[in-house]
Amino acid sequence: MQRRHFNLASTSVLAGLILTTYQQAHALSLGDLAGISDKDASAGLKTALEQGALAAVALLGKTDGFFGNPKVRIALPGYLNDAAGLLKSLGQGKRIDELLLSINRAAEAAVPMGKDLLVSSVRAMSVTDAKNILTGGEASVTAFFADKTRTPLSGAFMPIVTRATEKVGLANMYNDIAGKAAGFGLVKKEDANIQLYVTAKSLDGLYLIFGEEEKKIRQDPAGTGSAILQKVFGAQK
């Protein structure tokens, strides 16, 4: 159920972000907005995305950044989440709780490693990249960052997640049980390894919160204190 709620939250946030982007596309398509140059439009988007990235990392990369936030808290996948209730009734509640806390703490420890890569990807964004984000339709922001950062961030997160999950004895048990469950279609194959699962969910949570922060900046550019953001996004008010 938590997994379903997480997916619904992700869809809702991304839908709101994409709607805002789509509505602004004609007004801010790198040259169409009167008085705003391509350079300023691109700079405004870069500033918004960089601030959004830093805010997302700050929110998630701390104690309870994941565990204390229902939107991104990582639960056990599919069948294993259902089975957790049974295990608790059989006296394994403490160990299940330790595993859940551990995988969320692993995500919280990994996220700060992504700050430099996220910021550098924004700063390296071309005018074409910016235009594609502003006019690209659904999931353009997520698609950009997934393309630019998901693979390298996965590589950076994996060792941290591995060390964190190895501290809990149930991690190996998870891989064994999940592997068997995947063979019966009860767990997705990509979720059958705890390290891969937590790494993927860490990135999903990061991109979700990133989208929320970027949406806030678009809605209230004056509140950021940035002249370029106010000039670009404020011109549409």
Side-chain angles (χ1 to χ4, degrees):
M1 185 62 70
Q2 286 179 315
R3 181 180 176 83
R4 190 174 297 114
H5 286 170
F6 175 81
N7 288 334
L8 288 174
S10 301
T11 303
S12 176
V13 171
L14 286 175
L17 173 60
I18 296 309
L19 176 61
T20 302
T21 302
Y22 180 79
Q23 291 172 336
Q24 294 172 347
H26 294 296
L28 185 58
S29 58
L30 300 183
D32 292 341
L33 188 59
I36 303 296
S37 67
D38 286 3
K39 180 179 179 181
D40 282 346
S42 179
L45 181 61
K46 285 185 179 182
T47 302
L49 294 178
E50 183 172 334
Q51 288 192 14
L54 293 174
V57 169
L59 286 169
L60 295 176
K62 62 182 182 180
T63 300
D64 286 339
F66 275 83
F67 193 70
N69 185 343
K71 291 181 180 178
V72 295
R73 184 187 299 125
I74 303 174
L76 297 177
Y79 157 80
L80 293 180
N81 192 48
D82 298 332
L86 176 60
L87 290 172
K88 287 185 176 183
S89 71
L90 296 175
Q92 296 296 315
K94 183 178 180 180
R95 299 189 72 193
I96 293 295
D97 289 341
E98 287 177 350
L99 177 60
L100 289 172
L101 180 61
S102 176
I103 63 179
N104 281 277
R105 290 289 187 256
E108 292 160 7
V111 161
M113 296 295 295
K115 181 175 71 173
D116 290 344
L117 185 56
L118 288 170
V119 170
S120 64
S121 70
V122 172
R123 292 177 178 175
M125 181 186 295
S126 67
V127 171
T128 299
D129 288 332
K131 185 172 183 178
N132 288 339
I133 288 175
L134 289 167
T135 62
E138 292 187 4
S140 57
V141 172
T142 301
F144 172 80
F145 283 100
D147 179 62
K148 300 292 183 180
T149 69
R150 192 167 192 105
T151 297
L153 281 179
S154 293
F157 283 16
M158 183 67 74
I160 299 171
V161 170
T162 299
R163 286 195 297 271
T165 54
E166 282 178 348
K167 295 178 181 178
V168 181
L170 277 182
N172 291 333
M173 185 184 295
Y174 170 100
N175 288 341
D176 182 51
I177 296 174
K180 293 176 180 177
F184 292 101
L186 298 172
V187 172
K188 293 180 180 179
K189 290 184 178 180
E190 61 267 28
D191 294 343
N193 175 280
I194 193 170
Q195 290 83 9
L196 293 175
Y197 174 70
V198 174
T199 297
K201 286 300 177 186
S202 299
L203 291 171
D204 289 345
L206 178 59
Y207 294 140
L208 171 63
I209 299 302
F210 185 106
E212 286 189 335
E213 292 303 312
E214 198 252 357
K215 184 179 179 183
K216 290 177 185 177
I217 292 169
R218 288 178 180 274
Q219 292 176 337
D220 183 24
T224 65
S226 168
I228 187 64
L229 285 178
Q230 189 169 359
K231 178 180 180 181
V232 174
F233 295 113
Q236 304 164 60
K237 302 296 183 181

